Amino acid sequence: MTPTASPRDPAELAVLVPYQLGYHPGPSLVLTALHGRRVGMVQRLDLLPDAAACEQVAAHCVAVLAHSGAQGLAVTAFEEDEGGSRPLRTAVTSAALVAGLHVTPHLVVREGRTWPGGRELPQPHEVPAVAPFVLAGVSPWPSRQALVDGVVPPTDEVRADRVAAAAEGLDLAHVDEDELVDVWARVLDPRRTAEPVAVLTDAELALLAISLLDIPWRDGLLAMLAPGFFDLDALPPHIATLVIDAAGDCPWVDLWEEGDEWPRPQEWPEEVLLVRERLVEVGRLLPPPLTAAVHVAVAQLAWWAGDGTIAGICLERALEVDPDHRLADLMSRLLVTGAHPWSDAVAGPHDGRVSIPRAS
């Protein structure tokens, strides 16, 4: 869940950036969409020395920000070497002016000081806009790679080998449906007192992995975990009933069934995060060839909650595991464009719209 923030000046925005991204950006250019005094979408760009490459990257990124409804653009550069961000800053400014976006004066951060001026960067506790992130439990990772390692931890190879053996010859068509629902319900338990995922047997973990290879079952779970992503009515009624039972402990499922409004993840930040962490743990215990759909599920929960950084990391990993995974590819392309499939659905009653077409 991404809190709303309104930094008072460019220096405070620079302090806020790691909390928005979830990690300290390192040498880079960070573009922040401005909606009046409120900040919106954030993009981190690697610094590029080549002018032509800078122009191409800038044109795409500014187009995405303009499409998001931004009124202006803040440019924050994080440098190790003086002037390292200048080519990309120049290209971004030109592209923004062509797009009709106001660009605030650039701020460069280098060695803990802001330029121009050489003033010390404020400390996080001195920036009121940081407070909502701290209250939400956000603590920036030291780098993007550290965040990747936290979101996609190394595989437990010993356990994964045993799960792979248990999965051999497993046919979902011959699985007891009550057992399938029970195992998924234990994984999707949003309580802090829920049993650790690691206590599941190898056979139960294999069942989880194999079930996600079944497209209707996978899409049904995704429809439950992030309402508005898929149209549940498009699924076989029998599958829809099963996935509702499997995800029934997630509080937003009850609200969706009983109300006329799409649930909003901001109402259950702790529960959404706990379910996401439990899915990450499932992926850690599975053999890598069976993890693509788990990474997609984690990405979908993160995206629903407004965390595009984690969604992107998980989709990248899903496509590394299975380059032909159509759903991961579709979601990744939508994420790059700045799309948010729930933007319309959450605004009004659920009426059977399909936010994303089903893809195998």
Side-chain angles (χ1 to χ4, degrees):
M1 277 49 65
T2 305
T4 300
S6 300
R8 295 174 295 187
D9 57 45
E12 289 197 352
L13 177 59
V15 175
L16 184 63
V17 161
Y19 292 87
Q20 294 174 303
L21 291 175
Y23 61 94
H24 290 274
S28 60
L29 194 70
V30 176
L31 310 182
T32 305
L34 300 177
H35 305 265
R37 289 186 53 82
R38 182 176 59 84
V39 299
M41 180 186 297
V42 180
Q43 297 177 329
R44 178 199 175 278
L45 313 177
D46 288 331
L47 299 181
L48 302 169
D50 180 70
C54 288
E55 290 174 3
Q56 183 177 7
V57 169
H60 170 75
C61 293
V62 168
V64 170
L65 292 172
H67 181 72
S68 74
Q71 300 167 340
L73 175 63
V75 178
T76 309
F78 296 86
E79 293 182 343
E80 290 182 345
D81 301 318
E82 184 176 354
S85 66
R86 188 173 295 116
L88 189 53
R89 284 191 284 128
T90 300
V92 165
T93 299
S94 298
L97 294 177
V98 170
L101 296 179
H102 169 71
V103 181
T104 63
H106 299 179
L107 185 76
V108 177
V109 178
R110 188 172 59 252
E111 296 181 346
R113 293 184 175 273
T114 63
W115 306 89
R119 296 180 179 178
E120 288 191 6
L121 198 64
Q123 295 299 309
H125 69 269
E126 299 173 326
V127 179
V130 168
F133 290 83
V134 174
L135 290 174
V138 176
S139 179
W141 292 82
S143 66
R144 188 178 190 276
Q145 186 56 53
L147 175 60
V148 170
D149 293 340
V151 175
V152 189
T155 300
D156 182 335
E157 296 184 4
V158 173
R159 192 73 193 275
D161 287 343
R162 301 204 316 250
V163 174
E168 289 185 7
L170 185 59
D171 184 353
L172 194 63
H174 300 110
V175 167
D176 181 86
E177 291 179 344
D178 290 339
E179 179 184 3
L180 178 63
V181 168
D182 176 70
V183 174
W184 270 111
R186 290 160 65 192
V187 169
L188 302 178
D189 187 337
R191 298 172 298 176
R192 287 197 173 276
T193 56
E195 64 178 3
V197 171
V199 306
L200 295 174
T201 67
D202 298 335
E204 289 170 336
L205 287 167
L207 178 58
L208 295 174
I210 296 303
S211 70
L212 289 175
L213 299 180
D214 180 77
I215 303 305
W217 177 264
R218 180 204 69 188
D219 289 355
L221 278 178
L222 295 181
M224 284 289 94
L225 289 175
F229 190 82
F230 287 110
D231 178 9
L232 195 62
D233 293 336
L235 297 170
H238 182 59
I239 294 294
T241 300
L242 292 176
V243 296
I244 287 173
D245 289 341
D249 285 337
C250 297
W252 55 93
V253 172
D254 285 340
L255 178 67
W256 184 26
E257 288 190 279
E258 297 172 2
D260 293 328
E261 299 292 324
W262 291 105
R264 297 173 182 268
Q266 292 80 4
E267 298 177 46
W268 305 279
E270 180 176 349
E271 290 84 353
V272 172
L273 182 59
L274 286 172
V275 169
R276 193 179 82 193
E277 290 175 345
R278 292 176 67 78
L279 288 170
V280 168
E281 178 67 358
V282 170
R284 190 182 72 85
L285 301 175
L286 298 182
L290 294 178
T291 59
V294 178
H295 296 315
V296 168
V298 176
Q300 179 223 31
L301 264 179
W303 198 4
W304 184 48
D307 196 330
T309 299
I310 289 180
I313 289 171
C314 293
L315 292 173
E316 287 175 8
R317 185 56 58 92
L319 289 169
E320 288 175 7
V321 172
D322 182 1
D324 297 323
H325 199 287
R326 291 177 57 197
L327 181 56
D329 179 65
L330 174 60
M331 290 173 62
S332 183
R333 286 187 282 117
L334 285 171
L335 184 64
V336 167
T337 66
H340 192 272
W342 299 271
S343 58
D344 293 327
V346 297
H350 49 83
D351 55 8
R353 286 179 301 229
V354 181
S355 297
I356 284 187
R358 292 177 60 196
S360 61

